[in-house]
Every structure is written in C-alpha cells, then in structure tokens.
Amino acid sequence: MNTQMYLEELTLALSALHTGQREAIVNAVRAECEQKMADGMSEEDVLKSMPSAQILARRKIVEHNYRDLKTSFSPRGFWRWLLALGGLAVANFALFVPAITWLSILFAGFFSALMMYGSGVMLTASAVSGNQQFKLDVPAHMLQLGDIHEHRREVRHGQIIAGGSEIAVVAATSEPPQPGTGMTKDEGATKLEFTFRQTALPRISSGIFLIILSFLTAWVMIKLSALSWRGLVAYLRWNRQVLQSA
C-alpha cells in the first residue's frame, strides 16, 4: 500500500462526514505524511507509523461530533435552541385546531363521496331491475334510531328529495333483541325499507348523476389530500430548519 491508496481508503471511511469536512481531514493527513517523508522517513515507514485508515477515520468522526456537540450545547446556543423550540410549540399549537378542522372536512368529503356512490348504485340497480322497494337489514349498533326499550319497536319515516322532487320514502324500524335469545341490547336489528316514487328513467338519471358526482368529489378530495400532505412535509422541514439554525 502506498500513500495514495491509504488516503483513498481514509476518504471512503469518512463518508459519514460532509464533503468539506472529509476533504479537510484528508488534506491534513496528506500534509502530515509529506512532512514525515520530507524529514527523511521512507513512505513505508510513514504508513507503518500511521494508524489504519478505519481507526483514524473513527477517531476523526468522534472528534468532529464532540466539537459539534460542545458548540450546540453551549449556554448561549442552548437558550437560543430552547427559545426556537418554544416558538415552534406555540405556532404548532395555534395551527392544531385548523389542522383538525381541515382533516374533518377531508373525512366528510370522502364519506359524502362514498354515500353518493352507494345511493347512485342503489337507485340505478333498483330502476334497472324494476323494483319499487329496497330493503336493508343492519345491526342495531351500526344504525339505531334512538334508545330502544326492551319490548318496544321504533319506526320512523323520512323522504329522500333531490332536485326539488321526491325520489323515495324511507321507513326505518329498530327492533330490540328477542327475549330468551341471549342477545344484548346493542345486538338488535334495524331495518331500512326504501319505497321509490319515481319511475325507472328518472331514477337511472339520478343514480348515474350521483355516481359521477361521487367520483368527482373523491377526485377533488384526493387532490386536496395530496396538497395537504405536501404542505405537511414542507411545514415539518421548516420546523427542522428553524431548530438547526438556532
């Protein structure tokens, strides 16, 4: 091994440091080797007097990290860093409520898109099949009209109106669990019954419109979510830059 090979191995071992720091260490070691050879030592003796490139690199990295740590935790630097951290904490706290509100809007948008898609599919399928009624049974813990007593059913009626015209009448029935079945209060059943008032063609038009609107809403929500993620990443990078510059 000659001096050049030793310096190349040292450069590779110092890859954890920045380019400028690495070059400064390699240049200092090169100058030390040249000075020893100028004093009359052979290149072989110079390399024998030096520690291995790996050991020397570890020493230099430890020394560099110690100097950075000592500088960062000086009393003045510590108070600057603490002040920056406090300012960021206040800023993050002030943005917490708007962030939660924005997340709620995104969630409501995705949920609305899902509901419009399901409604559109139901309207289109019922119109194509020629059915005027559509029944759906769901567990009571998923949809319950109110506090159902042990031996009492609750029935509620409602209307689905779109575009100023009535599409369907909804009858929702919540039934308590039957005595002796071992079912708990939340294990009753809720039945939804849709009775459509419109003819087939208006229902198909309404269903297709809802499906298209659901895809458009989902697309907008996806775009807004992507922009929100980019903004979050940029905000976190700004937080890191503030702490690093303190």
Side-chain angles (χ1 to χ4, degrees):
M1 176 183 291
N2 55 28
T3 305
Q4 185 60 33
M5 295 174 60
Y6 178 82
L7 294 176
E8 290 176 358
E9 186 177 350
L10 178 62
T11 302
L12 184 62
L14 292 170
S15 58
L17 300 179
H18 297 298
T19 302
Q21 299 166 346
R22 188 167 56 246
E23 291 178 352
I25 294 173
V26 172
N27 291 334
V29 174
R30 179 185 289 110
E32 182 181 354
C33 293
E34 292 175 352
Q35 182 62 41
K36 289 182 178 180
M37 286 188 288
D39 293 339
M41 294 180 63
S42 64
E43 185 176 17
E44 183 179 359
D45 292 336
V46 170
L47 293 177
K48 287 181 179 180
S49 66
M50 300 289 292
S52 66
Q54 297 295 333
I55 293 177
L56 181 60
R58 284 197 292 268
R59 290 178 182 174
K60 295 298 182 181
I61 291 174
V62 170
E63 291 175 1
H64 175 75
N65 292 338
Y66 174 74
R67 286 196 299 268
D68 284 351
L69 184 65
K70 187 176 179 180
T71 302
S72 300
F73 281 89
S74 62
R76 182 177 179 182
F78 173 77
W79 286 111
R80 288 178 57 189
W81 180 82
L82 189 62
L83 182 61
L85 183 62
L88 287 177
V90 173
N92 292 333
F93 181 78
L95 293 174
F96 178 76
V97 174
I100 294 298
T101 303
W102 181 246
L103 288 177
S104 301
I105 293 173
L106 291 178
F107 176 79
F110 280 113
F111 183 77
S112 299
L114 181 62
M115 293 299 295
M116 286 187 291
Y117 178 78
S119 301
V121 171
M122 184 180 66
L123 283 173
T124 305
S126 64
V128 172
S129 63
N131 293 329
Q132 290 296 116
Q133 287 187 335
F134 181 82
K135 296 182 180 180
L136 180 64
D137 294 343
V138 295
H141 69 273
M142 295 182 62
L143 178 63
Q144 185 168 300
L145 302 181
D147 294 331
I148 308 302
H149 295 282
E150 185 177 356
H151 301 290
R152 192 183 72 183
R153 304 197 319 170
E154 184 175 355
V155 180
R156 293 187 184 181
H157 296 273
Q159 294 176 309
I160 298 178
I161 300 176
S165 60
E166 184 182 34
I167 295 179
V169 175
V170 184
T173 305
S174 290
E175 298 181 352
Q178 298 298 324
T181 59
M183 300 173 64
T184 63
K185 180 179 179 180
D186 292 335
E187 291 177 340
T190 298
K191 297 182 179 180
L192 297 178
E193 182 177 340
F194 298 85
T195 303
F196 298 102
R197 297 293 180 86
Q198 287 186 337
T199 57
L201 186 58
R203 272 190 283 160
I204 292 176
S205 302
S206 301
I208 294 176
F209 172 76
L210 286 174
I211 292 174
I212 294 175
L213 185 60
S214 69
F215 278 106
L216 290 176
T217 303
W219 179 78
V220 171
M221 292 298 105
I222 290 173
K223 292 295 183 181
L224 291 177
S225 298
L227 291 175
S228 301
W229 176 254
R230 294 177 185 175
L232 176 62
V233 172
Y235 182 72
L236 293 177
R237 288 177 178 173
W238 175 76
N239 277 258
R240 185 182 64 181
Q241 291 175 357
V242 170
L243 292 177
Q244 288 177 345
S245 61

